[in-house]
Short mmCIF file of all heavy atoms in Angstrom, two decimals:
data_model
loop_
_atom_site.label_atom_id
_atom_site.label_comp_id
_atom_site.label_asym_id
_atom_site.label_seq_id
_atom_site.Cartn_x
_atom_site.Cartn_y
_atom_site.Cartn_z
N ASP A 165 -20.43 -8.03 -24.89
CA ASP A 165 -20.60 -7.15 -26.05
C ASP A 165 -21.24 -7.83 -27.21
O ASP A 165 -21.92 -7.32 -28.05
CB ASP A 165 -19.30 -6.44 -26.41
CG ASP A 165 -18.93 -5.33 -25.30
OD1 ASP A 165 -19.88 -4.91 -24.56
OD2 ASP A 165 -17.76 -5.07 -25.23
N THR A 166 -20.74 -9.21 -27.37
CA THR A 166 -21.34 -9.89 -28.50
C THR A 166 -22.86 -10.11 -28.33
O THR A 166 -23.54 -10.24 -29.39
CB THR A 166 -20.71 -11.28 -28.63
OG1 THR A 166 -20.98 -12.07 -27.46
CG2 THR A 166 -19.15 -11.18 -28.77
N ILE A 167 -23.41 -10.19 -27.16
CA ILE A 167 -24.72 -10.28 -26.88
C ILE A 167 -25.42 -8.93 -27.12
O ILE A 167 -26.53 -8.80 -27.71
CB ILE A 167 -25.02 -10.73 -25.41
CG1 ILE A 167 -24.42 -12.20 -25.34
CG2 ILE A 167 -26.45 -10.80 -25.12
CD1 ILE A 167 -24.35 -12.72 -23.94
N ARG A 168 -24.81 -7.84 -26.49
CA ARG A 168 -25.42 -6.53 -26.67
C ARG A 168 -25.39 -6.09 -28.05
O ARG A 168 -26.29 -5.29 -28.53
CB ARG A 168 -24.59 -5.54 -25.82
CG ARG A 168 -24.88 -5.59 -24.27
CD ARG A 168 -24.41 -4.42 -23.56
NE ARG A 168 -22.93 -4.34 -23.52
CZ ARG A 168 -22.29 -3.38 -22.85
NH1 ARG A 168 -23.03 -2.41 -22.18
NH2 ARG A 168 -21.01 -3.35 -22.78
N GLN A 169 -24.42 -6.46 -28.91
CA GLN A 169 -24.28 -6.04 -30.29
C GLN A 169 -24.28 -7.11 -31.26
O GLN A 169 -23.47 -7.29 -32.12
CB GLN A 169 -22.99 -5.24 -30.42
CG GLN A 169 -22.93 -4.05 -29.44
CD GLN A 169 -23.95 -2.91 -29.90
OE1 GLN A 169 -24.26 -2.82 -31.08
NE2 GLN A 169 -24.32 -2.16 -28.77
N GLU A 170 -25.34 -8.03 -31.04
CA GLU A 170 -25.46 -9.13 -31.97
C GLU A 170 -25.48 -8.89 -33.46
O GLU A 170 -24.96 -9.51 -34.29
CB GLU A 170 -26.76 -9.87 -31.57
CG GLU A 170 -26.88 -11.26 -32.22
CD GLU A 170 -28.19 -11.99 -31.77
OE1 GLU A 170 -28.91 -11.44 -30.84
OE2 GLU A 170 -28.48 -13.10 -32.35
N MET A 171 -26.14 -7.70 -33.79
CA MET A 171 -26.24 -7.38 -35.12
C MET A 171 -24.81 -7.06 -35.77
O MET A 171 -24.58 -7.49 -36.91
CB MET A 171 -27.15 -6.27 -35.45
CG MET A 171 -27.33 -5.83 -36.92
SD MET A 171 -28.43 -4.45 -37.16
CE MET A 171 -27.32 -3.02 -36.63
N ASN A 172 -24.02 -6.40 -34.96
CA ASN A 172 -22.71 -6.04 -35.52
C ASN A 172 -21.82 -7.31 -35.63
O ASN A 172 -20.98 -7.37 -36.42
CB ASN A 172 -22.05 -5.00 -34.56
CG ASN A 172 -22.45 -3.63 -35.03
OD1 ASN A 172 -22.89 -3.39 -36.22
ND2 ASN A 172 -22.14 -2.63 -34.20
N VAL A 173 -22.03 -8.20 -34.74
CA VAL A 173 -21.34 -9.53 -34.81
C VAL A 173 -21.60 -10.24 -36.18
O VAL A 173 -20.73 -10.65 -36.84
CB VAL A 173 -21.62 -10.43 -33.62
CG1 VAL A 173 -21.08 -11.85 -33.86
CG2 VAL A 173 -21.17 -9.92 -32.35
N PHE A 174 -22.91 -10.24 -36.43
CA PHE A 174 -23.34 -10.83 -37.78
C PHE A 174 -22.73 -10.03 -39.06
O PHE A 174 -22.35 -10.66 -39.89
CB PHE A 174 -24.88 -10.93 -37.87
CG PHE A 174 -25.38 -11.74 -39.05
CD1 PHE A 174 -24.98 -12.95 -39.21
CD2 PHE A 174 -26.22 -11.10 -39.94
CE1 PHE A 174 -25.44 -13.70 -40.24
CE2 PHE A 174 -26.64 -11.79 -41.09
CZ PHE A 174 -26.28 -13.16 -41.23
N ARG A 175 -22.74 -8.72 -38.87
CA ARG A 175 -22.16 -7.94 -39.98
C ARG A 175 -20.71 -8.26 -40.17
O ARG A 175 -20.20 -8.34 -41.31
CB ARG A 175 -22.28 -6.41 -39.66
CG ARG A 175 -23.71 -5.90 -39.58
CD ARG A 175 -23.83 -4.48 -39.10
NE ARG A 175 -23.26 -3.48 -40.07
CZ ARG A 175 -23.00 -2.25 -39.75
NH1 ARG A 175 -23.23 -1.92 -38.51
NH2 ARG A 175 -22.57 -1.46 -40.75
N MET A 176 -19.95 -8.40 -39.07
CA MET A 176 -18.51 -8.84 -39.26
C MET A 176 -18.33 -10.08 -39.88
O MET A 176 -17.48 -10.25 -40.86
CB MET A 176 -17.89 -8.81 -37.79
CG MET A 176 -17.66 -7.42 -37.17
SD MET A 176 -16.84 -7.60 -35.57
CE MET A 176 -18.24 -7.25 -34.46
N LYS A 177 -19.21 -11.05 -39.48
CA LYS A 177 -19.11 -12.42 -40.07
C LYS A 177 -19.46 -12.34 -41.66
O LYS A 177 -18.92 -13.03 -42.46
CB LYS A 177 -20.00 -13.36 -39.40
CG LYS A 177 -19.49 -13.71 -37.97
CD LYS A 177 -20.50 -14.60 -37.20
CE LYS A 177 -19.87 -15.04 -35.89
NZ LYS A 177 -20.82 -15.82 -35.17
N LEU A 178 -20.44 -11.49 -41.94
CA LEU A 178 -20.88 -11.40 -43.31
C LEU A 178 -19.75 -10.93 -44.18
O LEU A 178 -19.66 -11.22 -45.34
CB LEU A 178 -22.05 -10.34 -43.42
CG LEU A 178 -23.52 -10.92 -43.20
CD1 LEU A 178 -24.54 -9.73 -43.17
CD2 LEU A 178 -23.89 -12.03 -44.09
N CYS A 179 -18.84 -10.00 -43.62
CA CYS A 179 -17.69 -9.51 -44.31
C CYS A 179 -16.55 -10.45 -44.28
O CYS A 179 -15.48 -10.06 -44.80
CB CYS A 179 -17.25 -8.17 -43.67
SG CYS A 179 -18.40 -6.83 -44.02
N GLY A 180 -16.72 -11.59 -43.80
CA GLY A 180 -15.73 -12.64 -43.86
C GLY A 180 -14.75 -12.76 -42.72
O GLY A 180 -13.78 -13.57 -42.69
N ALA A 181 -14.98 -11.93 -41.61
CA ALA A 181 -14.21 -11.94 -40.49
C ALA A 181 -14.49 -13.10 -39.50
O ALA A 181 -15.71 -13.55 -39.49
CB ALA A 181 -14.26 -10.56 -39.71
N THR A 182 -13.51 -13.52 -38.73
CA THR A 182 -13.92 -14.42 -37.70
C THR A 182 -13.93 -13.62 -36.38
O THR A 182 -13.09 -12.84 -35.98
CB THR A 182 -12.69 -15.48 -37.52
OG1 THR A 182 -12.52 -16.12 -38.68
CG2 THR A 182 -12.91 -16.38 -36.38
N VAL A 183 -15.09 -13.89 -35.64
CA VAL A 183 -15.31 -13.15 -34.46
C VAL A 183 -14.98 -14.09 -33.21
O VAL A 183 -15.54 -15.13 -33.13
CB VAL A 183 -16.75 -12.56 -34.23
CG1 VAL A 183 -16.89 -11.89 -33.03
CG2 VAL A 183 -17.07 -11.66 -35.48
N ILE A 184 -14.10 -13.67 -32.35
CA ILE A 184 -13.61 -14.46 -31.25
C ILE A 184 -14.16 -13.88 -29.99
O ILE A 184 -13.65 -12.79 -29.40
CB ILE A 184 -12.14 -14.52 -31.23
CG1 ILE A 184 -11.54 -15.03 -32.55
CG2 ILE A 184 -11.56 -15.47 -30.08
CD1 ILE A 184 -10.04 -14.94 -32.69
N PRO A 185 -15.15 -14.49 -29.36
CA PRO A 185 -15.69 -14.07 -28.03
C PRO A 185 -14.68 -14.26 -26.89
O PRO A 185 -13.99 -15.19 -26.86
CB PRO A 185 -16.91 -14.92 -27.79
CG PRO A 185 -17.28 -15.54 -29.08
CD PRO A 185 -15.93 -15.69 -29.76
N VAL A 186 -14.68 -13.26 -26.01
CA VAL A 186 -13.64 -13.20 -24.90
C VAL A 186 -14.48 -13.42 -23.60
O VAL A 186 -15.35 -12.57 -23.31
CB VAL A 186 -12.84 -11.79 -24.86
CG1 VAL A 186 -11.92 -11.96 -23.67
CG2 VAL A 186 -12.02 -11.83 -26.14
N ASP A 187 -14.13 -14.44 -22.82
CA ASP A 187 -14.83 -14.84 -21.71
C ASP A 187 -14.18 -14.42 -20.31
O ASP A 187 -14.67 -14.64 -19.27
CB ASP A 187 -15.21 -16.30 -21.71
CG ASP A 187 -16.14 -16.74 -22.77
OD1 ASP A 187 -17.23 -16.05 -22.77
OD2 ASP A 187 -15.87 -17.64 -23.50
N SER A 188 -12.98 -13.77 -20.49
CA SER A 188 -12.22 -13.47 -19.25
C SER A 188 -12.70 -12.09 -18.75
O SER A 188 -13.34 -11.27 -19.44
CB SER A 188 -10.75 -13.43 -19.56
OG SER A 188 -10.55 -12.43 -20.57
N GLY A 189 -12.45 -11.91 -17.37
CA GLY A 189 -12.62 -10.61 -16.77
C GLY A 189 -14.10 -10.14 -16.90
O GLY A 189 -15.02 -10.95 -16.59
N THR A 190 -14.22 -8.93 -17.30
CA THR A 190 -15.66 -8.30 -17.42
C THR A 190 -16.25 -8.65 -18.69
O THR A 190 -17.36 -8.23 -18.96
CB THR A 190 -15.51 -6.77 -17.21
OG1 THR A 190 -14.70 -6.24 -18.35
CG2 THR A 190 -14.95 -6.44 -15.90
N GLN A 191 -15.57 -9.37 -19.58
CA GLN A 191 -16.09 -9.80 -20.91
C GLN A 191 -16.45 -8.71 -21.73
O GLN A 191 -17.48 -8.78 -22.46
CB GLN A 191 -17.30 -10.77 -20.68
CG GLN A 191 -17.03 -12.04 -19.95
CD GLN A 191 -18.24 -12.95 -19.83
OE1 GLN A 191 -19.18 -12.77 -20.48
NE2 GLN A 191 -18.04 -13.90 -19.01
#
Side-chain angles (χ1 to χ4, degrees):
D165 290 337
T166 64
I167 296 169
R168 288 196 287 184
Q169 299 295 327
E170 185 177 359
M171 183 181 72
N172 273 344
V173 172
F174 187 59
R175 291 172 71 193
M176 288 179 250
K177 292 178 179 179
L178 279 176
C179 289
T182 300
V183 179
I184 304 170
V186 176
D187 292 308
S188 59
T190 59
Q191 300 180 15

